[in-house]
Amino acid sequence: MQNPGSGKEMADALQLHISRDLAERIGQHGAETFPHECCGALLGRDGAIGENAAGAPSREVLQLFPLVNRRDDSPRNRFAVTAEDVLEAEKAARRDGLDVVGWYHSHPDHPARPSQFDREHAWPWYSYVIVSVMSGQPADMTSWRLNDDRQDYSPERIEIRNRAAV
Ligand SMILES: [Zn+2]
């Protein structure tokens, strides 16, 4: 799955649209909390841009909702969203007529690949953005979704747009 070529079909089907500004803010959040992980919610719309060539609806991130990493026991490598986080993020999204479309977190000094812990604690449908922060500097950013059977995940292509955040 980690070879970009091998999951091509799914990678073409799943797309996450985000402005450059918001993508950079995710990286900045990771740099601020380094060497600990940062996390937050992705607020936006599912199917906002219309059908892409593969026939799957696109998803757009329009706002970030930064969260406090509550995993005090191991804040370096344990990102977990609590039920309380979900409620707060959904409330913030609804206020602006948006939905919670996913979650982001950072991997300090580790590649932007979902860990086993990430996969075990993920929910299907949501987009999971991971930004790698190497020596305090934001590096690669990836996105993935857990498959409905919860056994595997699919990479999601991040489409960065050069326009201001809404
Ligand atoms: Zn992780």
Side-chain angles (χ1 to χ4, degrees):
M1 290 306 296
Q2 274 127 31
N3 174 356
S6 67
K8 194 171 183 314
E9 224 170 274
M10 288 309 291
D12 284 346
L14 298 177
Q15 285 183 26
L16 185 69
H17 296 255
I18 187 167
S19 69
R20 187 164 300 282
D21 176 51
L22 289 182
E24 283 174 1
R25 268 194 256 166
I26 293 174
Q28 279 163 15
H29 191 193
E32 280 163 23
T33 60
F34 185 88
H36 295 170
E37 289 190 4
C38 73
C39 63
L42 307 169
L43 313 187
R45 291 199 182 94
D46 191 48
I49 295 171
E51 308 262 316
N52 63 23
S58 297
R59 184 173 279 191
E60 187 172 24
V61 178
L62 295 165
Q63 269 182 48
L64 302 181
F65 186 73
L67 293 166
V68 175
N69 190 340
R70 296 176 205 274
R71 291 293 302 240
D72 296 333
D73 51 335
S74 182
R76 274 172 186 269
N77 55 12
R78 287 283 185 272
F79 148 76
V81 172
T82 64
E84 200 180 307
D85 292 333
V86 175
L87 278 179
E88 279 178 28
E90 281 179 349
K91 220 186 289 172
R94 227 168 296 136
R95 238 184 348 244
D96 294 311
L98 303 174
D99 293 309
V100 177
V101 296
W103 308 92
Y104 71 87
H105 73 287
S106 62
H107 278 183
D109 286 334
H110 280 280
R113 260 201 308 267
S115 65
Q116 194 181 337
F117 182 92
D118 291 339
R119 280 180 279 146
E120 284 169 358
H121 290 79
W123 299 295
W125 190 81
Y126 287 117
S127 296
Y128 285 90
V129 167
I130 300 175
V131 61
S132 169
V133 181
M134 304 304 275
S135 307
Q137 295 299 315
D140 293 344
M141 189 179 289
T142 61
S143 185
W144 57 281
R145 294 191 206 179
L146 191 71
N147 295 351
D148 288 337
D149 61 10
R150 303 186 63 105
Q151 296 307 304
D152 207 350
Y153 67 95
S154 301
E156 182 172 58
R157 193 147 58 91
I158 300 179
E159 287 281 321
I160 295 182
R161 308 187 151 219
N162 284 310
R163 63 170 170 77
V166 177

